[in-house]
Amino acid sequence: MVDIHCHILPNVDDGSRSWEMTEEMCRIAADDGIQHIVATPHCNHQFGFDRQRYEDMLGKLHEASGGRLEFSIGCDFHFSYENLTDAIEHPNRYTINGTRYLLIEFSDYGIPPNAIEHLFLLTSRGMVPIITHPERNPLLTKRPERILDFIDAGALVQVTANSLTGFWGSHVKLMSEWLLTQGAVHVIASDAHDPTRRKPVLSEARWAVAKLVGEEVAEDLVVNNPQAIIDGLPLPRR
């Protein structure tokens, strides 16, 4: 399996707080059957994003996994005017593994009414926005049709693995299941922050998806689609 959203780099944001914690997260991920992790530090007003620094950490990250995992760099890109302006000027600065795929995180407190126009602007620059965990965004769960509008505008959707297992509550779980039945989920990722509460585990969600919509879809969401994303290829099936 491939995990495209994970806060596994230590001491760079609100994720792992030490290399020891990172090592434990690596062990959990490898034991779960994950083979590749995209390290995605936050990029927002609180945490600046330094891609070169993070890429320089990949060798030590590989060592921390005991050679059991492969890694690449992306970012948890906050949907703000400043970020969008810079991404348009420097498309490869924030994308996953230097491809055209860009994780997009909307604020829980406000989504611009012209968000679709901004998404079109990103796609016009060759990027493919991936909306992260919309099932957990209270503004989007009140108006889930907006998520479908984002997809129509060219975006993909990433649901958090433990949303499907009930970690975030029954409402988030139901929202995740609704998106799945609408065919509105393109990838599942862990959004892991630590080795205890928010762990880098995908297998439980994979089982939940297979039970709800079939094993073939589950395979696409945790293997085929995320592999295509890190390779910079079109998704095998949307």
Side-chain angles (χ1 to χ4, degrees), residues 55 62 70 147 201 210 224:
E55 289 182 342
H62 185 69
E70 297 298 324
I147 304 171
V201 170
N224 300 326

Side-chain angles (χ1 to χ4, degrees), residues 133-145 147 171-172 175:
H133 50 71
E135 81 285 356
R136 289 165 40 201
N137 185 298
L139 302 177
L140 292 176
T141 57
K142 290 177 182 176
R143 293 185 57 194
E145 70 278 2
I147 304 171
H171 181 68
V172 170
M175 184 67 186

Side-chain angles (χ1 to χ4, degrees), residues 176-209:
S176 304
E177 293 172 345
W178 180 81
L179 288 169
L180 277 171
T181 59
Q182 295 293 311
V185 180
H186 305 94
V187 62
I188 292 170
S190 73
D191 192 8
H193 280 62
D194 58 66
T196 52
R197 291 186 70 254
R198 298 176 64 179
K199 300 182 286 187
V201 170
L202 297 178
S203 61
E204 296 172 7
R206 180 179 185 168
W207 179 85
V209 172

